[in-house]
Amino acid sequence: MRDATDVVHCEDFTVSAVTCRDDHAGWSAAEPAGEVLVDLLARAVAQVAVGATPTGPADRAAVDAARAAVPAEHPDSAGLVPPARLVGVSPHRLSRAFSREVGMSLTRFRDRVRVGRALDRLEAGERDLAGLAADLGFADQAHLTRTVRAHVGWTPAALAPSTTGALPPGARRAGW
């Protein structure tokens, strides 16, 4: 619903009436609440049966903006609320649209970007894992270690450059 005047009137836990206006759904006046609720339930079931809610141009634009903010290290790219505020949508909407459009959550995407940076720095000779964790926005070295292991199957210590300066074979997984 976009504009609800009397959303729902309840007496003794019985929903009795709803007054709303939604240009897309066609509701325009007071209607029995049961009919409105049945209509809403039918739409929800149809969306689940077909798959995720389609993403519109506004959602795609919000996802694109959030997706660009993460690698650019925008100050509002951490968490979910700041990026949603940055792109002008609710956190719930950004979360759902991001997963639909990108195929992973915003958190997973952000972690992939940070793990990629960690791998680059390890490959370049970085040895201070606590400093690396702090620079990349991890809570601590243990958080860095868990996240890197979850993404590439190796700990940062195992990925630290050997005498040859190269990462162990297979350290970068396909798709990176």
Side-chain angles (χ1 to χ4, degrees):
M1 283 184 289
R2 277 202 198 158
D3 299 320
T5 50
D6 290 314
V7 177
V8 178
H9 172 71
C10 298
E11 287 182 13
D12 298 325
F13 299 97
T14 302
V15 179
S16 59
V18 64
T19 303
C20 62
R21 184 180 81 239
D22 184 335
D23 299 332
H24 299 292
W27 304 325
S28 58
E31 296 184 27
E35 292 176 24
V36 173
L37 294 174
V38 168
D39 184 44
L40 289 172
L41 182 58
R43 290 177 201 209
V45 169
Q47 287 177 355
V48 170
V50 175
T53 306
T55 304
D59 285 344
R60 278 191 287 280
V63 168
D64 290 345
R67 195 172 181 183
V70 171
E73 297 179 344
H74 190 282
D76 287 339
S77 66
L80 182 59
V81 175
R85 190 177 314 120
L86 176 70
V87 300
V89 297
S90 73
H92 181 264
R93 184 172 177 182
L94 178 60
S95 176
R96 292 178 53 92
F98 199 94
S99 293
R100 278 193 308 269
E101 288 290 306
V102 180
M104 68 181 74
S105 70
L106 179 58
T107 299
R108 180 120 176 117
F109 176 76
R110 185 182 311 106
D111 284 347
R112 284 184 68 117
V113 169
R114 293 190 303 171
V115 167
R117 288 187 177 135
L119 292 175
D120 291 342
R121 287 183 52 183
L122 289 167
E123 199 167 27
E126 180 74 49
R127 293 190 179 272
D128 176 15
L129 298 181
L132 178 63
D135 288 350
L136 296 177
F138 291 95
D140 54 24
Q141 184 176 337
H143 183 207
L144 168 70
T145 298
R146 286 189 308 274
T147 305
V148 170
R149 183 186 299 134
H151 282 263
V152 297
W154 297 77
T155 66
L159 294 171
S162 63
T163 55
T164 65
L167 294 175
R172 288 194 185 244
R173 290 192 173 175
W176 277 81

